[in-house]
Amino acid sequence: MNIKNIEIYEGLPKVVVSISGTSFADIQKEIVQVKENTDALDIVEIRSDAFDNMSRSEHLSLVNEVCKELSGLPVIYTYRTSHEGGSGSKSYAEYKDLLTDVITKCDIDIIDIEFITGGNVISDIVDCAAEHGKTVLLSHHNFKETPRLEEMQKLLYKMHSAGGEILKLAFAPNDADDVVNMLKIVKIGKEAIGNKVIGISMGESGRMTRLAGGEFGSCMTYGYITKNTAPGQVHAARIKDALKAYEN
Ligand SMILES: O=C1C[C@@](O)(C(=O)O)C[C@@H](O)[C@@H]1O
């Protein structure tokens, strides 16, 4: 899948950095940082839960401003709810309303939809994204623990059947086995459905999934330029550097 000249499923995993400022001024600064560090990243994620207190029209125009300023880069739109480690507090109905508004009115490329938290509204959002040519990234996070391997496998297949083009699992590991299982589930996913999976073990002990996950089939890895949006993230330039070891 090619988005803005980036082959998402081929070669090294693509480095995603988040824009997570809470104000227009903060986000302007982040845009400058992204522009100055384009060698260290491939994709930008807008973490819109950070500016949840803006009006809808300010929200949509800020998203479009980022898309315009960074028009050469694929843009993922993410509204991360408090159920999955973010600061968003919208109800299911409000979540659906926001995401469908963004899909229909903004120039984003990929929409991150929370598979579990989205509940029964996700199929409507998935259909809306398909209608408007946006790529669906279904995600699920747990900041406390990593489910058993069989559970993760079932979850991944359900996410795939629900219309996820890219599937992301981000779980906190409690021991080294959890990290190994995360790499295993990425490999299982790759064998079953291709390089469409992103597997992240959050926290310091899971860092290797961010650096070496591509060897097992992770198609993207999340890092930071200005400030991290999850535990265990590594600076994007350091990720790019580490990935050189896997270049053919
Ligand atoms: O889902 C993810 C992954 C992430 O939680 C991480 O662990 O790097 C960071 C988030 O910004 C992003 O939406």
Side-chain angles (χ1 to χ4, degrees):
M1 184 180 45
N2 186 300
I3 302 181
K4 305 242 177 89
N5 291 326
I6 304 260
E7 283 298 342
I8 305 286
Y9 303 141
E10 280 165 35
L12 296 172
K14 305 303 170 291
V15 178
V16 184
V17 300
S18 306
I19 294 213
S20 59
T22 55
S23 67
F24 194 81
D26 277 356
I27 290 175
Q28 285 293 347
K29 284 186 209 148
E30 286 182 286
I31 290 172
V32 172
Q33 293 274 316
V34 166
K35 285 182 176 169
E36 285 173 1
N37 286 279
T38 47
D39 286 354
L41 59 102
D42 303 294
I43 299 174
V44 167
E45 174 189 56
I46 302 175
R47 276 290 300 266
S48 73
D49 48 306
F51 48 90
D52 206 11
N53 52 358
M54 286 186 192
S55 71
R56 180 63 61 87
S57 69
E58 283 171 334
H59 187 111
L60 298 176
S61 54
L62 182 47
V63 172
N64 270 331
E65 176 70 14
V66 176
C67 294
K68 194 174 106 210
E69 287 285 336
L70 301 175
S71 60
L73 294 168
V75 174
I76 304 175
Y77 174 90
T78 303
Y79 176 88
R80 184 70 65 235
T81 68
S82 53
H83 306 284
E84 305 225 9
S87 52
S89 58
K90 296 206 180 319
S91 67
Y92 284 167
E94 291 167 338
Y95 180 75
K96 174 178 153 182
D97 191 61
L98 172 66
L99 266 63
T100 49
D101 232 8
V102 169
I103 289 167
T104 49
K105 297 180 185 152
C106 296
D107 224 3
I108 57 149
D109 301 289
I110 302 174
I111 182 98
D112 180 311
I113 309 170
E114 293 178 358
F115 182 61
I116 303 282
T117 303
N120 55 11
V121 301
I122 70 146
S123 61
D124 293 343
I125 310 173
V126 168
D127 291 348
C128 177
E131 239 173 71
H132 291 85
K134 310 293 185 197
T135 300
V136 171
L137 185 163
L138 288 185
S139 65
H140 185 49
H141 303 73
N142 185 326
F143 281 69
K144 289 202 187 98
E145 59 186 9
T146 299
R148 286 180 306 118
L149 190 62
E150 306 77 65
E151 260 177 69
M152 288 200 278
Q153 193 166 348
K154 274 192 211 145
L155 180 64
L156 208 57
Y157 293 157
K158 274 195 210 154
M159 289 163 87
H160 183 55
S161 322
E165 171 62 32
I166 303 169
L167 314 173
K168 175 171 60 183
L169 300 180
F171 297 133
N174 284 317
D175 56 32
D177 284 336
D178 285 343
V179 178
V180 171
N181 280 345
M182 181 54 82
L183 295 172
K184 260 193 206 160
I185 193 65
V186 169
K187 178 175 171 281
I188 291 170
K190 175 186 172 161
E191 286 163 1
I193 53 179
N195 276 26
K196 302 175 167 199
V197 179
I198 306 165
I200 304 167
S201 278
M202 293 183 286
E204 284 181 19
S205 60
R207 273 185 188 164
M208 62 96 61
T209 60
R210 298 181 187 275
L211 302 173
E215 288 299 286
F216 298 81
S218 259
C219 63
M220 292 182 196
T221 177
Y222 287 70
Y224 70 91
I225 294 283
T226 35
K227 62 177 191 289
N228 65 329
T229 54
Q233 277 187 347
V234 177
H235 193 282
R238 290 180 79 187
I239 299 182
K240 278 280 183 192
D241 228 32
L243 292 179
K244 282 187 194 147
Y246 299 107
E247 241 161 23
N248 289 322

